[in-house]
Amino acid sequence: MTTITTRTVEYPADGLTMIGHLALPSGTGRRPAVLIGPEGTGLNDFQRRRADALAELGYVALAFDVHGGRWFTDPQEMLARVTPLLADPDRMRDIGHAALDVLRAEPRTDPDRIAAIGYGTGGAIALELGRDGVDLRVIGTVNALTTGRPGEAARIRCPVWAGVGSEDPIMPAGQRDAFAAEMQAAGVDWRLVVYGGALHAFHHPPVDQTVLPGVGHHPLHAQRAWCDIVGLLAECLPVTE
């Protein structure tokens, strides 16, 4: 296994002190980099391990924070924080840009080769960075079929990949259609993968907390979605020495 190094990074955003997880690959040279956005519950060890796994593949990876170090176990408390955030593209962009600045400031990062992937709320933030015209190599999201303000998707400068469960009541067929229509009208190079039988947050392993209706883990599709993300990065942001 490749030797990686990790560290906690603190930075201001959204009026909070965010606590991200930075993972660096072995070596000393610059490498392509990936922003990783967590689901609405916040940054936990699951997404930290995702950053570590990408560092093992040769990427600089930052799992960014959205709640100032908090991880919500009460879904209603989480919704009270996330719902107004998702309704405010500028707030989402500010959170994304703050994390992007941290990633770009890392000496191991190649600032011209950065991707953004995200899950749920973190995926919505990644999409808003694209709609804000940020120069990214690719955007990959799971359970994040949000649509933006009219016309702004035309500012997306990279391919967009999105995965969603077929039985996700939070991202139903109408939301899938709206997302596809937005991407197509904007001329984006986009792909949408629907994982049959999967609910919302199918990618996340079970946790000891009360969950919202329509949320459930699907181990097989979770692994498939991760492989799809890794393959997407290999295609659009290959690691080269």
Side-chain angles (χ1 to χ4, degrees):
M1 182 179 293
T2 303
T3 300
I4 67 170
T5 57
T6 65
R7 70 173 185 268
T8 297
V9 290
E10 295 188 4
Y11 58 97
D14 200 39
L16 302 169
T17 298
M18 299 300 185
I19 305 173
H21 176 80
L22 182 68
L24 302 176
S26 62
T28 58
R30 287 190 168 185
R31 295 289 184 270
V34 184
L35 275 178
I36 306 171
E39 41 280 296
T41 48
L43 179 59
N44 64 5
D45 283 343
F46 175 70
Q47 298 299 1
R48 294 184 187 98
R49 287 194 296 269
R50 291 300 199 209
D52 296 349
L54 290 179
E56 290 171 0
L57 294 174
Y59 297 97
V60 176
L62 174 62
F64 66 85
D65 186 10
V66 292
H67 302 316
R70 291 198 64 186
W71 188 73
F72 290 98
T73 57
D74 181 336
Q76 297 308 317
E77 192 178 10
M78 180 269 292
L79 287 174
R81 159 80 179 161
V82 167
T83 301
L85 176 62
L86 291 173
D88 191 335
D90 292 324
R91 278 183 68 197
M92 287 194 285
R93 292 177 185 185
D94 286 346
I95 290 172
H97 276 290
L100 186 61
D101 288 345
V102 172
L103 186 59
R104 282 177 170 157
E106 164 54 47
R108 296 290 310 282
T109 295
D110 181 341
D112 296 321
R113 293 192 294 160
I114 296 177
I117 65 174
Y119 298 79
T121 299
I125 290 171
L127 286 167
E128 283 305 322
L129 285 176
R131 294 185 183 108
D132 201 31
V134 172
D135 184 14
L136 299 168
R137 289 298 181 93
V138 70
I139 297 169
T141 72
V142 179
N143 303 318
L145 300 182
T146 57
T147 50
R149 290 181 291 216
E152 290 191 337
R155 301 171 68 188
I156 295 175
R157 303 164 63 184
C158 66
V160 172
W161 178 96
V164 67
S166 69
E167 307 309 301
D168 184 345
I170 300 172
M171 301 284 166
Q175 186 67 22
R176 297 201 296 266
D177 292 344
F179 177 82
E182 179 193 28
M183 293 296 112
Q184 186 64 23
V188 175
D189 175 6
W190 66 279
R191 283 172 279 177
L192 175 62
V193 176
V194 180
Y195 296 94
L199 295 169
H200 192 69
F202 70 87
H203 66 280
H204 201 294
V207 292
D208 184 19
Q209 68 180 97
T210 303
V211 297
L212 294 167
V215 172
H217 184 48
H218 194 300
L220 181 57
H221 283 325
Q223 182 59 31
R224 286 169 171 166
W226 175 245
C227 289
D228 285 344
I229 288 286
V230 171
L232 179 75
L233 293 173
E235 174 194 342
C236 299
L237 190 69
V239 176
T240 55
E241 294 298 328

